[in-house]
Amino acid sequence: IGPHQPPYIVAELSCNHGGSREKAKRLIRAAREAGADAVKLQTYRPDELTTPEHPELWALYEKAQTPREWHRELFDYAHEIGITIFSSAFSIEGVNFLQELGAPAIKIASAEIGNRDLMLLVNGPLIISTGMASDIDKRWLGDFAFHRGAQWGDNPEIVLLHCVAQYPSRIEDANLRAMQSLQLDTGLPIGLSDHTPGYETAIAATALGAVMIEKHFKLDDDCIDAAYSLNPVDFAAMCKAVRAIWHGMGDGVIRPTCEPRKR
């Protein structure tokens, strides 16, 4: 993953399995067939995100969760059909669970940007959404990456994802220039976690140097995240467009682009 290759495209399954393990498998296969490089789960229980004193949120997260007992089967299925699979963690127990499962990367969601214990616990590649990051968080991430790189041979193996933490969000609120600010402030590779309808924002982010595109993925509209998820046809079109635009950016060298006319 980096600027010298097309953006790494991640299909976020989120809660779009609708509580069905078999639908989760169909999502994984459809994402691979649509051209995704990886699929991502979300690893949480309701008690890791809220309390019973907030019954509406508790009911939502209880319905939307991907149960831990599914994870091994889904990981094995993804490996079997040839697509990378990883997940977001929302607690120290979640990080430990995913690392024991052999997840090749762990994502930290925007809501956990201040939970530094989670990031310090991750032993491998780390993907961090910045939708709720403050200037203090950005400075800490820069320092964290510097020290992690010093330990890991100058490669901290961190990607930051610019994100607008609204579900769905509007294209006009995408603030894509923040990607360049994040890169300058932290020195890290930057991608996009996109919650807009459609995929125009993903194409624009590619032109601005995104090394990763994360987009919610659905099979149908019978799911909680339908408004900002792409179906297989649209996701495949996004993959094709993103990769075409990346190649179209070229190397920036000015040169003659056609044969001179004969005089």
Side-chain angles (χ1 to χ4, degrees):
I1 298 171
H4 302 299
Q5 50 207 348
Y8 192 81
I9 299 177
V10 178
E12 165 66 84
L13 304 191
S14 183
C15 55
N16 288 346
H17 50 67
S20 166
R21 191 180 328 206
E22 290 308 308
K23 188 172 184 179
K25 289 183 179 180
R26 294 200 305 273
L27 279 161
I28 292 169
R29 179 171 288 277
R32 182 184 65 80
E33 292 173 351
D37 294 300
V39 293
K40 190 182 77 65
L41 310 178
Q42 294 185 5
T43 302
Y44 63 80
R45 295 186 301 261
D47 62 285
E48 293 172 312
L49 299 179
T50 189
T51 65
E53 284 71 37
H54 300 88
E56 291 185 5
L57 282 176
W58 187 280
L60 172 65
Y61 295 135
E62 192 166 44
K63 179 180 179 181
Q65 68 179 318
T66 301
R68 277 168 169 68
E69 56 267 25
W70 293 10
H71 280 55
R72 170 54 69 191
E73 185 175 345
L74 297 182
F75 269 55
D76 288 346
Y77 181 72
H79 296 156
E80 177 186 327
I81 67 171
I83 187 168
T84 298
I85 185 169
F86 65 102
S87 190
S88 296
F90 296 80
S91 67
I92 288 174
E93 193 274 334
V95 170
N96 289 330
F97 171 78
L98 289 171
Q99 292 190 145
E100 290 171 5
L101 199 60
I106 291 177
K107 185 185 173 190
I108 305 299
S110 292
E112 303 299 327
I113 192 69
N115 193 339
R116 295 168 185 176
D117 289 341
L118 289 187
M119 290 177 257
L120 291 167
L121 190 62
V122 175
N123 293 324
L126 183 58
I127 301 160
I128 304 169
S129 274
T130 62
M132 299 179 72
S134 66
D135 284 339
I136 292 173
D137 292 320
K138 286 190 295 182
R139 288 196 294 273
W140 186 86
L141 287 170
D143 291 342
F144 172 54
F146 175 80
H147 292 296
R148 206 176 200 239
Q151 293 174 326
W152 293 28
D154 294 328
N155 181 8
E157 291 198 344
I158 298 172
V159 173
L160 300 183
L161 299 185
H162 170 59
C163 173
V164 176
Q166 296 172 347
Y167 309 88
S169 57
R170 303 181 305 169
I171 290 178
E172 54 265 41
D173 295 328
N175 192 24
L176 291 176
R177 288 192 178 95
M179 291 171 51
Q180 296 166 319
S181 300
L182 276 172
Q183 204 283 323
L184 289 171
D185 289 344
T186 64
L188 291 168
I190 308 299
L192 174 71
S193 177
D194 184 32
H195 302 122
T196 63
Y199 54 85
E200 294 89 346
T201 307
I203 295 172
T206 301
L208 289 172
V211 302
M212 180 179 289
I213 301 291
E214 179 189 271
K215 186 73 179 178
H216 285 238
F217 183 68
K218 64 183 178 182
L219 292 178
D220 50 51
D221 288 335
D222 185 20
C223 55
I224 295 171
D225 293 353
Y228 46 95
S229 300
L230 295 182
N231 63 34
V233 171
D234 290 337
F235 196 94
M238 181 192 75
C239 291
K240 182 178 179 181
V242 161
R243 290 165 181 150
I245 289 297
W246 182 85
H247 286 289
M249 294 303 293
D251 58 14
V253 176
I254 304 298
R255 59 172 71 88
T257 56
C258 63
E259 293 183 6
R261 293 181 179 178
K262 293 182 180 178
R263 297 184 182 275

